[in-house]
Amino acid sequence: MRLVYVSKNSWWDARKARKVLLPLAVSALPGTSVLLVNAAQPLWGGEHYPRFWQHPETGMSVLTPIRLLPFQRFAMVRRWNQVLRWRQIRRQLACGPDHTATRFVLSDPEDVYLADLIRQAGYRCYFDWTEKWHAYAVAAGDESQSRTDASSIFAHVDGVIAVSAELTHEAEALGLPCLHLPNAVSDAFLQALGRRVGEPDRLKGIPAPRMAHVGSCNPNWIHWDWLIHAARQHPGISFCMLGGGGEKNIPDHLPANIHLLGRVRYEEIPSYLQHVDGCMLLYRVEVTSAGDPTKLYEYLATGLPIVSSPHPRCLEFAEHIRISDGPAGFSEEIGLALEEGPDYAQGRVDEAGRHTWPLRAQALRRWLE
C-alpha cells in the first residue's frame, strides 16, 4: 500500500505532531511506502526547505510544495493553489513506486478542492479529524481563523479518521465510515527517554521538586488560574512551563516559583522530562474535549506522577493519573503526586507501551486496505 498524507504541518517544524509522526510510523511498516506532503511554502518568502527529501531510516518521501498565489482568504485563490499543489503531488507520484493501492489522507479542512481532484483521479481520499475547528478558532482568537466552512470537507471524502471518541461519534452520525485512531508516543521518544542525559541549561538553577507542563501556554487553552493557585499553595515547588502560544495573554505578576522556559524542540522534550518530578495537563475541557493530548502518552512513558484536569481522554486513564476538577483539588493532587513512591511508575510505562505510533500505524493500514 502507498499512503499519501497531506499535512497541515511540516516535517521541518520544531514540534513533531500527529500529522508527521503517524505517516512516519506507517512508512516503517513492511510493504508500505509513504509520501508526506508538507504544508505548502510561499514562493515569495519564508523558510527554504528541500523540495523533496527521503527519511534515511524508513525511506518516507517528503514533498514540500510551492504555493504560488498570495491572498488565501479568497476562495478562487485557494482553489488555484490547491490545483497547483495537486499537479506537484501527481508529478511526484509518477516518479514513485508502482502501487495499485494508493490512499490519500488529508488533514486540513480547507482542502476541499484538493479532495475533489484526488477522487476525480480515481483515488480513495480520507480525512484525519483531530479537533473541533470552531472551538479552536474561539480559543486561538486571531491566530487561527478558518477561511471556509470547515465542515464542508466531509462531503468531499470517502471516510474519516477521528482522534477522539467525541469526533468518532460525530463522524458516524454523518454516515461516514470512521476509524477511531487516538494519538500515541513515538519509538524515538521512548528511546530518548531511555538515554539519560545531563540537565538542560534552562532547568539549571531551578530548585527541585519540579512539576512540568509541556505544550501550549495559551490561557484560552489551559487553566492558568489553577496553576497560579497551586504555585501559591506550594511555594517550595517549582512549576516549569515548557511551550508557547498566547504569550501576550499570560497573566502578569506570576508567583516566583512559576518558570516560563519557552518553546522546546520535540527531540529535546525527553531530556527535560528526565529532570522533573511530575507532569501536568492543564487543558480547559470546554475547548479541548474533542482532542487527544499527545503529551498524555509521552508523560505516561516517563513513569512520573501526572496531575490533570478532567479531560475526557485523561478520565480513561484515571488508574494512572491524578484528576481534579478545580483549583483547590488540583493543588492538593500536586502535593500528593510528589509524595508518591515508585510503585505506580511501571504501570504508567507499561500503559504507554500499549499506545505507540507503530501500533496506530498498523491499525490505520488495516482499515485503509
Side-chain angles (χ1 to χ4, degrees):
M1 187 193 81
R2 175 168 55 182
L3 171 68
V4 182
Y5 193 103
V6 184
S7 180
K8 283 187 67 174
N9 304 103
S10 169
W11 173 260
W12 314 108
D13 290 344
R15 177 181 176 273
K16 294 288 191 294
R18 171 190 179 95
K19 297 177 177 66
V20 295
L21 293 175
L22 177 57
L24 177 63
V26 173
S27 70
L29 298 176
T32 306
S33 67
V34 173
L35 173 63
L36 171 64
V37 181
N38 282 332
Q41 282 293 121
L43 179 65
W44 55 92
E47 301 290 340
H48 295 285
Y49 301 120
R51 288 292 312 283
F52 184 77
W53 178 80
Q54 284 191 301
H55 191 275
E57 296 176 10
T58 69
M60 178 180 75
S61 301
V62 179
L63 172 66
T64 303
I66 297 297
R67 177 156 64 91
L68 298 179
L69 302 177
F71 306 113
Q72 279 279 100
R73 64 182 179 274
F74 297 114
M76 185 58 69
V77 172
R78 286 199 307 277
R79 180 179 183 277
W80 277 109
N81 275 331
Q82 289 180 32
V83 168
L84 295 169
R85 183 153 42 115
W86 171 238
R87 291 176 181 173
Q88 295 172 69
I89 294 170
R90 284 294 298 268
R91 282 197 295 270
Q92 194 57 55
L93 289 178
C95 299
D98 181 19
H99 287 284
T100 56
T102 297
R103 302 288 186 268
F104 279 78
V105 174
L106 306 181
S107 61
D108 189 337
E110 294 189 355
D111 281 347
V112 292
Y113 305 112
L114 183 58
D116 285 342
L117 291 165
I118 291 167
R119 296 173 82 191
Q120 288 169 17
Y123 295 105
R124 309 277 298 175
C125 182
Y126 303 87
F127 185 74
D128 192 7
W129 194 6
T130 58
E131 64 203 9
K132 277 192 171 179
W133 303 293
H134 69 278
Y136 183 89
V138 169
D142 292 336
E143 295 177 17
S144 177
Q145 292 293 335
S146 179
R147 291 171 288 269
T148 187
D149 178 6
S151 64
S152 64
I153 188 68
F154 299 123
H156 301 262
V157 294
D158 298 295
V160 173
I161 304 151
V163 74
S164 66
E166 182 176 336
L167 296 182
T168 299
H169 296 327
E170 293 198 16
E172 290 171 345
L174 294 169
L176 289 166
C178 183
L179 171 68
H180 178 202
L181 195 75
N183 285 323
V185 60
S186 72
D187 282 353
F189 196 96
L190 295 174
Q191 292 164 8
L193 281 176
R195 295 190 296 268
R196 191 74 180 179
V197 297
E199 186 177 71
D201 289 342
R202 279 187 258 180
L203 282 178
K204 291 179 178 177
I206 298 177
R210 301 162 175 160
M211 292 293 297
H213 161 90
V214 182
S216 174
C217 291
N218 192 326
N220 293 314
W221 286 101
I222 69 170
H223 284 289
W224 272 92
D225 52 336
W226 295 18
L227 176 68
I228 291 170
H229 181 81
R232 288 173 176 161
Q233 293 297 308
H234 299 286
I237 299 173
S238 298
F239 293 85
C240 302
M241 304 297 288
L242 294 159
E247 286 89 350
K248 63 183 179 182
N249 297 319
I250 291 175
D252 297 325
H253 311 298
L254 296 173
N257 56 332
I258 294 180
H259 303 271
L260 305 180
L261 303 185
R263 299 175 188 269
V264 177
R265 292 183 62 84
Y266 172 80
E267 293 81 5
E268 298 173 349
I269 293 172
S271 67
Y272 282 85
L273 294 180
Q274 289 175 350
H275 295 278
V276 301
D277 304 283
C279 304
M280 299 180 292
L281 288 162
L282 287 155
Y283 293 108
R284 291 182 176 274
V285 174
E286 63 271 19
V287 294
T288 65
S289 64
D292 184 32
T294 305
K295 289 297 166 287
L296 164 64
Y297 308 99
E298 294 169 351
Y299 285 173
L300 287 168
T302 68
L304 293 168
I306 304 166
V307 183
S308 176
S309 62
H311 189 282
R313 186 58 168 162
C314 294
L315 291 173
E316 298 179 36
F317 294 89
E319 178 185 353
H320 304 288
I321 303 174
R322 294 181 174 275
I323 297 175
S324 176
D325 61 358
F330 189 82
S331 177
E332 180 180 358
E333 294 294 348
I334 290 286
L336 294 172
L338 292 176
E339 294 174 1
E340 269 189 20
D343 296 346
Y344 300 98
Q346 190 59 49
R348 295 188 186 104
V349 173
D350 292 344
E351 187 63 43
R354 291 187 277 271
H355 303 275
T356 66
W357 283 121
L359 293 174
R360 302 291 194 245
Q362 292 172 22
L364 176 60
R365 184 171 71 173
R366 285 195 300 268
W367 189 73
L368 291 176
E369 287 177 341

